[in-house]
Amino acid sequence: MTNQGANEIDLLLAESFKELATKRPIEKITIREITDKAGVIRPTFYNHFQDKYELLEWIVKRELIAPAEPLLDNGMLKEALILALTTMEKEKPFYTKAVYLEGQNSFADTLKKAIAELALSRLNRKRIEELLPKKWLTAEIVADYFSEALCYAIIEWVKDDMRVPMNELVDIFIYVASHSLLDIIGNLYK
């Protein structure tokens, strides 16, 4: 991003984009529509973001990732997940449309990348190298695996109209993430 600060223009552009996205597919929204709705000129957009997909990435990081970081720093994974899902629920019209953005700049890829970066920043690389039996199984792969699973759960939850209570979704995700498939299958037959 050309301007990493969360200033008033960034917020104005984000709100404009989110409002437009509730009415039209994201891939059809133009920069001109975003700037017109925000009441700024087109060059202003490019002083802050390269394109609408970078704006989407900024929204995901600002709304879902950044608020969860202090909780994760204190070992509060469940609370961090609930906070992110609560935000998505509050902004349901936007995120319900966003999950259907596919292709090169899909919402799923944007969310996965943000989660993977967050996970990677908190993984103990040295400990992973000690624990994992193969050198090719890196911290990056572990972060990608985690982000892929979490992103899948979140997107399916949104596509299902967020019907599953978020506490239940988080509990199930944490259970599946903290148990092996063999443990889970074994528990089915007890």
Side-chain angles (χ1 to χ4, degrees), residues 112-177:
K112 279 186 253 185
K113 180 182 172 195
I115 293 170
E117 288 172 359
L118 179 63
L120 193 56
S121 73
R122 277 145 177 83
L123 288 174
N124 181 333
R125 290 174 186 267
K126 186 175 180 179
R127 186 75 176 128
I128 286 174
E129 289 172 10
E130 292 170 1
L131 292 174
L132 298 178
K134 305 292 181 195
K135 292 297 176 199
W136 59 264
L137 194 54
T138 64
E140 288 79 9
I141 291 174
V142 172
D144 286 346
Y145 179 83
F146 175 79
S147 68
E148 185 79 36
L150 182 55
C151 187
Y152 174 80
I154 290 170
I155 286 178
E156 291 304 311
W157 174 70
V158 173
K159 286 182 176 180
D160 190 39
D161 201 33
M162 302 180 183
R163 289 188 299 168
V164 173
M166 72 179 75
N167 281 332
E168 187 176 318
L169 176 69
V170 169
D171 287 343
I172 290 168
F173 179 78
I174 290 173
Y175 178 82
V176 169

Side-chain angles (χ1 to χ4, degrees), residues 23 29 33 50 68 78 88-89 118 129 143 158 161 174:
K23 297 175 178 116
I29 297 171
E33 290 173 309
Q50 186 175 6
K78 180 176 182 171
M88 292 182 82
E89 200 171 58
L118 179 63
E129 289 172 10
V158 173
D161 201 33
I174 290 173

Side-chain angles (χ1 to χ4, degrees), residues 62-74:
R62 183 182 177 281
E63 289 187 355
L64 305 179
I65 303 299
E69 288 182 295
L71 295 169
L72 292 172
D73 290 342
N74 289 294

